[in-house]
Amino acid sequence: MTKQTIVGRVAQLARANINALIDQAEDPQLMLDQLIRDYTNNIREAEQAVATTIGNLRLMQQDYREDKEAASEWGRKALAASKKADELRAAGDPVDADRFDTLAKVALSRQLQSEREATAAEPTIASNTAVVDKLKTGLDQMQLKLGELHGKRDQLVARAKSAEAQNRMLDAVRSIDVLDPTSELSRFEDKVRREEARAMGKEELAASSLDTQFEQLDGLGDATEIEARLAALKGA
């Protein structure tokens, strides 16, 4: 996977318009669950690609440091060989002096090669460093988007449950007589009043029967009194 492909993939995922995706979904909750799974997998894949890119950059940086150290080391060897050649030439040993000068040249050649390799790697290292910074930023944005997805999903589930409970309540209310919600109570009250009226009727009927009996008793008493008085008159 090329660096450009990695950068493009991370940037595309980080710019995903979550709200638009939700609006287009027939079932937002299911869509969000699936989107979270897909997005999590994409982040995992992107992390692996970014880790590989970072690893390659670290290898280049390590090679660069080794080239710089090698250039310094070959420089020290060239200097030591040159000094030794000067000492031998001063001591009247031109043959060995030339041999050490040759070693100094070899060391300088190796130094030059190491310096060129280090210099050639600098633009690539700088470019890859910028790429890695962009990739890290993209991954951070993807993590933020994933958190946003989780938040929207939780909000949606809570709203769906609230709407479901509200609809159940409204259905229950509609099952009652919407024109007269006390109709059932009114019918029960009428029944109670009819029972009360019948009880009062029975009570009144019972009282009327007792009054008649007492009136009959009163009538019998008057008749007895009259007979007694009549007998008294005849005896006189």
Side-chain angles (χ1 to χ4, degrees), residues 142-182:
M142 289 175 70
Q143 292 292 349
L144 291 175
K145 287 289 184 181
L146 183 60
E148 183 181 346
L149 279 175
H150 280 289
K152 285 185 177 292
R153 190 268 179 196
D154 294 341
Q155 292 175 10
L156 181 62
V157 171
R159 288 171 56 190
K161 290 182 178 179
S162 176
E164 182 181 358
Q166 186 176 6
N167 284 327
R168 285 200 302 267
M169 181 194 69
L170 293 175
D171 290 340
V173 170
R174 280 195 294 269
S175 66
I176 303 174
D177 185 1
V178 295
L179 296 178
D180 184 9
T182 61

Side-chain angles (χ1 to χ4, degrees), residues 29-43 145-154:
Q29 181 175 341
L30 293 178
M31 176 268 175
L32 275 175
D33 289 338
Q34 184 61 47
L35 185 59
I36 287 174
R37 287 191 293 270
D38 293 342
Y39 210 75
T40 301
N41 291 333
N42 289 332
I43 290 176
K145 287 289 184 181
L146 183 60
E148 183 181 346
L149 279 175
H150 280 289
K152 285 185 177 292
R153 190 268 179 196
D154 294 341

Side-chain angles (χ1 to χ4, degrees), residues 100-117:
F100 275 97
D101 277 338
T102 300
L103 289 176
K105 291 179 181 180
V106 171
L108 290 173
S109 177
R110 297 289 180 85
Q111 181 187 40
L112 183 60
Q113 180 181 355
S114 296
E115 289 176 349
R116 286 175 177 173
E117 291 178 357

Side-chain angles (χ1 to χ4, degrees), residues 6-18 21 39 42-43 46 134-146 148-149:
I6 298 172
V7 175
R9 181 177 180 80
V10 172
Q12 181 180 7
L13 293 172
R15 291 195 301 267
N17 192 331
I18 296 173
L21 292 175
Y39 210 75
N42 289 332
I43 290 176
K134 290 180 180 179
L135 292 176
K136 289 181 178 180
T137 301
L139 283 176
D140 290 340
Q141 292 175 351
M142 289 175 70
Q143 292 292 349
L144 291 175
K145 287 289 184 181
L146 183 60
E148 183 181 346
L149 279 175

Side-chain angles (χ1 to χ4, degrees), residues 4 6 14 22 40 52 57 75 105 114 120 125 132 154 174 182 194-195 212 219 230:
Q4 290 79 6
I6 298 172
I22 294 174
T40 301
T52 300
L57 173 62
K105 291 179 181 180
S114 296
I125 291 175
V132 167
D154 294 341
R174 280 195 294 269
T182 61
R194 287 194 297 271
E195 291 296 326
T212 300
L230 179 59

Side-chain angles (χ1 to χ4, degrees), residues 7-81:
V7 175
R9 181 177 180 80
V10 172
Q12 181 180 7
L13 293 172
R15 291 195 301 267
N17 192 331
I18 296 173
N19 291 325
L21 292 175
I22 294 174
D23 293 338
Q24 296 172 4
E26 294 181 1
D27 191 333
Q29 181 175 341
L30 293 178
M31 176 268 175
L32 275 175
D33 289 338
Q34 184 61 47
L35 185 59
I36 287 174
R37 287 191 293 270
D38 293 342
Y39 210 75
T40 301
N41 291 333
N42 289 332
I43 290 176
R44 189 178 297 111
E45 293 176 2
E47 285 176 341
Q48 293 174 355
V50 172
T52 300
T53 304
I54 293 174
N56 292 335
L57 173 62
R58 298 297 177 252
L59 288 176
M60 284 189 288
Q61 291 173 333
Q62 181 177 348
D63 291 342
Y64 176 79
R65 287 193 297 270
E66 290 177 355
D67 287 336
K68 297 290 286 186
E69 292 173 358
S72 298
E73 180 64 20
W74 284 118
R76 287 192 293 271
K77 289 180 178 181
L79 178 61

